[in-house]
Amino acid sequence: MAGSLAVVGLQWGDEGKGKIVDVLSEDCDYCVRFNGGANAGHTVILNNGKEFVFHLLPTGLLRENVKGIIGNGVVLDPEQFFAEIEQLNTVGVDVSNRLFVSERTHIVLPFHKTLDGAKEALDATPIGTTKRGIGLAYADKASRSGLRAADLVEASRNSSFARKRLLSSIKEKSALFSAYRLGTINESELLDWLHRYGQMLRPFVTDTATLLRKALASRKKVLFEGAQGALLDIDFGTYPFVTSSQTGVWGISAGTGVPLRRAVKVLGVLKAYTTRVGEGPFPTEESGEIGKRLRAVGGEFGATTARPRRCGWLDLVAAKYASLLNGVDGLIITKMDVLTGMSPLKVAVAYEIDGKRTDTFPTLISDFETLKPLYEELDGWDEPINSARRLNALPKEARQYLRFIERYLGTPIEMVSVGMGRDAIIRTKGKQN
Ligand code: GDP
Ligand code: IMO
Ligand code: MG
């Protein structure tokens, strides 16, 4: 896997992975989504200066040299898939013949989305999901009642196959529909839907695991684009306030069918402060003026749901947990520019739980209720840094902040992002990969 990269989030998502994937895909051959679905919102800035948000398609597709793959670990919403292709067309990006979907990718069906919304509305402790049907589609996958891309294609050719595959699912989901007072599932409408999207999806569906293995054997450069972040992972995140997929490097093999015997270079993206959308623990959250300032200056509103993001200080205890899990080789620090004008800057270096100091990220959700972050204060800076392109063009306080992160995490910083655009980047060790 010479030159191949994994870009993963080290917080609760929205670290700026989209921008980084866009920058790094300049000299990549493939960009691969391996987890999540249209719950992701990966923002890039187009040549005309406008924003574009990728939800389901690999962000690298913005570069014409890149082929996009949606791996089997993703859950694919066909409506969103075609809407996004259309949106890309309107900004002059054509993905014909360079976008591939695994035969084994599970499909998000309309009732998954309806039930996600209804469950959230009625639940006593909602997760604050994106209502994209993600959890419901993964639940069906695990309970062996899901529909895969290959099934969808087959269903569009063979209506008795379609009926048979969906019958028990419809029965089960109908019971939920009536419990949530959602009316009934219209079977013939659903069959039409399967027929339409199965036909449309057919040209994209292929054995992507073999495609990828061949590409890697011929030394093509592959970029694995993580969605969400380690703290939202189904196993390692703040369960149950998590998403339903594997969001770190451990998800790559399972989500693509590529053995990771020869490791990819793992780049962990860490925002210079912390944000979270939805419910769940957030030790360094600042609900007052500091949080408001970070939200306003950082434009911290959800790229998928437009919800205001919760904001707070950088949490290095959580970041270390995430970076060790991923075996991160290099760090990419984003949104450093947002901290300009704030001093002092607080950074959590340990937690206090029941009066005891610890640097272990808790497993038990109730531990977060009594947890107090222990901070170190660092000097801030006042100069705008958006136009810095070398480390030594940054104010010394900004360099100290970066050095502090690097030392705490024991991992080198390879890039620092200082603005939204492609060029607003400092490469600390020459070009990556
Ligand atoms: P992702 O989900 O990890 O791809 O991140 P999002 O796209 O959801 O959120 C990151 C937001 O920050 C987007 O609006 C980006 O355009 C923006 N962004 C990325 N890097 C930087 C940066 O270095 N500085 C600033 N000011 N904005 C950035
Ligand atoms: P990117 O890739 C931030 C959050 C939701 C909710 C929880 C479960 O842009 O970083 P889900 O709809 O997945 O069942 O919601 O996970 N969430 C994200 N938060 N960034 C994301 O993706 C997210 N994807 C899901 O807000 O708390
Ligand atoms: Mg996002």
Side-chain angles (χ1 to χ4, degrees), residues 9 13-21 40-45 51-54 59 225-228 269 271 273 275 297-304 309 333-338 386 416-421 424-425:
D14 303 329
E15 297 89 352
K17 300 176 293 295
K19 170 189 164 161
I20 299 303
V21 170
H42 295 177
T43 314
V44 293
I45 304 299
E51 259 186 39
F52 189 90
V53 182
F54 284 87
T59 301
E225 175 182 5
Q228 291 84 51
V269 186
K271 183 148 51 181
Y273 50 96
T275 62
V297 180
E300 297 294 354
F301 294 88
T304 298
R309 293 175 181 152
I333 309 299
T334 57
K335 304 192 89 157
M336 272 295 278
D337 53 303
V338 176
N386 311 66
V416 181
S417 176
V418 290
M420 288 165 78
I425 199 109

Side-chain angles (χ1 to χ4, degrees), residues 210-433:
T210 302
L211 182 75
L212 258 182
R213 282 196 297 266
K214 281 189 182 152
L216 288 163
S218 57
R219 305 186 74 75
K220 298 285 186 209
K221 270 167 86 166
V222 179
L223 192 163
F224 296 94
E225 175 182 5
Q228 291 84 51
L231 308 179
L232 282 172
D233 181 77
I234 183 76
D235 287 293
F236 300 109
T238 46
Y239 192 90
F241 299 98
V242 293
T243 190
S244 301
S245 70
Q246 297 182 308
T247 61
V249 283
W250 51 92
I252 296 179
S253 234
T256 61
V258 172
L260 286 189
R261 256 178 330 196
R262 275 160 296 146
V264 293
K265 178 170 182 179
V266 182
L267 295 170
V269 186
L270 186 72
K271 183 148 51 181
Y273 50 96
T274 312
T275 62
R276 170 160 210 171
V277 207
E279 305 303 319
F282 181 174
T284 60
E285 181 169 14
E286 288 287 326
S287 42
E289 285 311 309
I290 301 276
K292 280 193 198 134
R293 189 185 195 285
L294 289 169
R295 184 175 311 117
V297 180
E300 297 294 354
F301 294 88
T304 298
T305 56
R307 288 177 290 178
R309 293 175 181 152
R310 299 156 63 192
C311 298
W313 297 115
L314 180 61
D315 182 345
L316 286 179
V317 180
K320 183 142 195 174
Y321 170 72
S323 105
L324 288 174
L325 279 169
N326 274 294
V328 165
D329 296 303
L331 294 166
I332 298 176
I333 309 299
T334 57
K335 304 192 89 157
M336 272 295 278
D337 53 303
V338 176
L339 297 183
T340 291
M342 295 176 85
S343 197
L345 296 168
K346 288 167 63 169
V347 176
V349 291
Y351 297 148
E352 194 182 286
I353 303 176
D354 295 333
K356 287 196 203 88
R357 187 185 168 107
T358 176
D359 55 11
T360 302
F361 192 73
T363 303
L364 202 59
I365 205 77
S366 55
D367 277 350
F368 285 98
E369 285 162 20
T370 55
L371 181 156
K372 271 203 306 227
L374 301 176
Y375 288 109
E376 198 86 24
E377 291 193 358
L378 303 179
D379 290 335
W381 59 92
D382 282 325
E383 304 87 323
I385 58 171
N386 311 66
S387 51
R389 297 294 175 266
R390 285 171 301 114
L391 266 188
N392 57 15
L394 290 175
K396 80 170 186 313
E397 294 83 0
R399 277 180 280 137
Q400 276 162 2
Y401 191 80
L402 293 171
R403 212 169 305 129
F404 192 85
I405 297 174
E406 205 166 41
R407 284 217 192 105
Y408 189 102
L409 299 181
T411 308
I413 292 173
E414 304 212 352
M415 282 182 176
V416 181
S417 176
V418 290
M420 288 165 78
R422 261 180 194 167
D423 60 327
I425 199 109
I426 299 172
R427 295 173 193 256
T428 64
K429 301 209 162 161
K431 267 192 150 187
Q432 295 311 305
N433 55 71

Side-chain angles (χ1 to χ4, degrees), residues 4 8 11 25 32 142 190 199 248 306 326 336 361 384 395 424:
S4 288
V8 293
Q11 290 153 318
S25 53
V32 185
L190 189 55
Q199 278 191 330
N326 274 294
M336 272 295 278
F361 192 73

Side-chain angles (χ1 to χ4, degrees), residues 34-338:
F34 58 90
N35 78 297
N39 50 350
H42 295 177
T43 314
V44 293
I45 304 299
L46 303 170
N47 289 334
N48 63 10
K50 293 216 171 105
E51 259 186 39
F52 189 90
V53 182
F54 284 87
H55 295 289
L56 180 58
L57 304 189
T59 301
L61 281 171
L62 206 53
R63 309 270 191 179
E64 275 170 16
N65 51 300
V66 171
K67 294 187 174 68
I69 291 187
I70 295 188
N72 58 279
V74 169
V75 287
L76 182 145
D77 172 353
E79 293 168 7
Q80 177 64 31
F81 180 83
F82 290 105
E84 213 162 300
I85 291 177
E86 200 52 44
Q87 284 156 16
L88 277 173
N89 282 339
T90 64
V91 296
V93 178
D94 181 8
V95 299
S96 308
N97 303 318
R98 57 187 187 100
L99 174 58
F100 308 92
V101 173
S102 164
E103 304 160 321
R104 295 182 166 84
T105 300
H106 276 254
I107 300 296
V108 178
L109 295 165
F111 56 62
H112 290 136
K113 291 191 273 186
T114 313
L115 287 169
D116 191 355
K119 191 167 181 295
E120 281 286 301
L122 290 176
D123 214 316
T125 48
I127 307 287
T129 73
T130 58
K131 303 184 186 164
R132 299 295 169 110
I134 305 297
L136 280 291
Y138 279 116
D140 273 359
K141 172 179 176 174
S143 67
R144 292 151 295 180
S145 50
L147 198 76
R148 305 191 291 180
D151 299 319
L152 183 64
V153 170
E154 182 59 17
S156 72
R157 289 192 281 231
N158 178 345
S159 60
S160 64
F161 173 85
R163 220 169 264 119
K164 201 165 144 205
R165 286 292 275 107
L166 271 186
L167 214 62
S168 59
S169 208
I170 289 182
K171 217 166 143 192
E172 182 197 81
K173 296 302 181 302
S174 293
L176 285 173
F177 263 56
S178 81
Y180 289 134
R181 301 184 193 288
L182 293 170
T184 53
I185 298 174
N186 185 322
E187 190 181 320
S188 77
E189 244 176 43
L190 189 55
L191 287 169
D192 285 349
W193 188 96
L194 295 184
H195 183 74
R196 183 164 76 253
Y197 283 111
Q199 278 191 330
M200 286 167 71
L201 202 62
R202 194 159 155 191
F204 298 91
V205 177
T206 187
D207 174 4
T208 54
T210 302
L211 182 75
L212 258 182
R213 282 196 297 266
K214 281 189 182 152
L216 288 163
S218 57
R219 305 186 74 75
K220 298 285 186 209
K221 270 167 86 166
V222 179
L223 192 163
F224 296 94
E225 175 182 5
Q228 291 84 51
L231 308 179
L232 282 172
D233 181 77
I234 183 76
D235 287 293
F236 300 109
T238 46
Y239 192 90
F241 299 98
V242 293
T243 190
S244 301
S245 70
Q246 297 182 308
T247 61
V249 283
W250 51 92
I252 296 179
S253 234
T256 61
V258 172
L260 286 189
R261 256 178 330 196
R262 275 160 296 146
V264 293
K265 178 170 182 179
V266 182
L267 295 170
V269 186
L270 186 72
K271 183 148 51 181
Y273 50 96
T274 312
T275 62
R276 170 160 210 171
V277 207
E279 305 303 319
F282 181 174
T284 60
E285 181 169 14
E286 288 287 326
S287 42
E289 285 311 309
I290 301 276
K292 280 193 198 134
R293 189 185 195 285
L294 289 169
R295 184 175 311 117
V297 180
E300 297 294 354
F301 294 88
T304 298
T305 56
R307 288 177 290 178
R309 293 175 181 152
R310 299 156 63 192
C311 298
W313 297 115
L314 180 61
D315 182 345
L316 286 179
V317 180
K320 183 142 195 174
Y321 170 72
S323 105
L324 288 174
L325 279 169
N326 274 294
V328 165
D329 296 303
L331 294 166
I332 298 176
I333 309 299
T334 57
K335 304 192 89 157
M336 272 295 278
D337 53 303
V338 176

